[in-house]
């Protein structure tokens, strides 16, 4: 199924660390990582999933990312979770938001099945 293909691909990419984007943190007075429920993170995760599906030649119509919440947080990273659904299936995914370069306010994202 679509989600199984995506899961396999994300597992592989998560292990290789390929599925990491460098994103600029929104303008903030102090360098803080965006929260798990911020629109910024939701949008980026959605884009990552859609891009990954494209790579696998899987249609992304009807794929939803929802139920974002925080599992844990430190000063250098947040661990979040969300539900990815599509094609009559759904699964829980872990999102790691971490600092790549605090000075430049650049953070990275990693996504993997839970």
């Amino acid at each position: 199924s679509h989600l199984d293909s995506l899961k396999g691909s994300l597992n592989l990419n998560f292990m290789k660390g390929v599925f990491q984007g460098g994103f600029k943190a929104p303008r903030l007075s102090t360098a803080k990582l965006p929260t798990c429920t911020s629109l910024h993170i939701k949008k980026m995760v959605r884009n990552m999933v859609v891009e990954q599906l494209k790579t696998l030649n899987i249609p992304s119509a009807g794929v939803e990312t929802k139920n974002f919440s925080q599992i844990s947080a430190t000063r250098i990273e947040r661990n979040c979770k969300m539900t990815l659904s599509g094609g009559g299936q759904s699964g829980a995914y872990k999102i790691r938001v971490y600092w790549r370069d605090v000075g430049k306010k650049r953070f990275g994202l990693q996504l993997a099945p839970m």
Side-chain angles (χ1 to χ4, degrees), residues 2 11 13-14 16 21 29 33 44 61 63 70 78 85 109 112:
H2 294 352
N11 264 337
N13 283 319
F14 191 68
K16 285 195 287 188
S29 52
L33 285 169
M44 289 189 314
V63 171
Q70 184 169 289
R78 287 185 198 277
S85 59
L109 276 183

Side-chain angles (χ1 to χ4, degrees), residues 21 23-24 59 68:
F23 302 100
K24 197 147 176 62
F68 286 76

Side-chain angles (χ1 to χ4, degrees), residues 1-3 5-6 46 49-64 85-87:
S1 85
H2 294 352
L3 286 188
S5 302
L6 178 65
R46 168 96 184 136
V49 169
V50 168
E51 282 306 307
Q52 194 63 22
L53 288 170
K54 267 188 206 164
T55 307
L56 299 167
N57 290 319
I58 297 171
S60 58
V63 171
E64 287 187 353
S85 59

Side-chain angles (χ1 to χ4, degrees), residues 90-103:
S90 74
Y93 283 75
K94 181 179 174 184
I95 304 157
R96 180 176 167 246
V97 184
Y98 62 96
W99 282 118
R100 287 179 68 156
D101 186 334
V102 182

Side-chain angles (χ1 to χ4, degrees), residues 21-55:
F23 302 100
K24 197 147 176 62
R27 287 184 195 274
L28 302 166
S29 52
T30 56
K32 276 189 192 161
L33 285 169
T35 63
C36 296
T37 56
S38 74
L39 197 56
H40 204 55
I41 293 297
K42 288 179 179 181
K43 223 186 247 181
M44 289 189 314
V45 167
R46 168 96 184 136
N47 291 343
M48 286 171 79
V49 169
V50 168
E51 282 306 307
Q52 194 63 22
L53 288 170
K54 267 188 206 164
T55 307

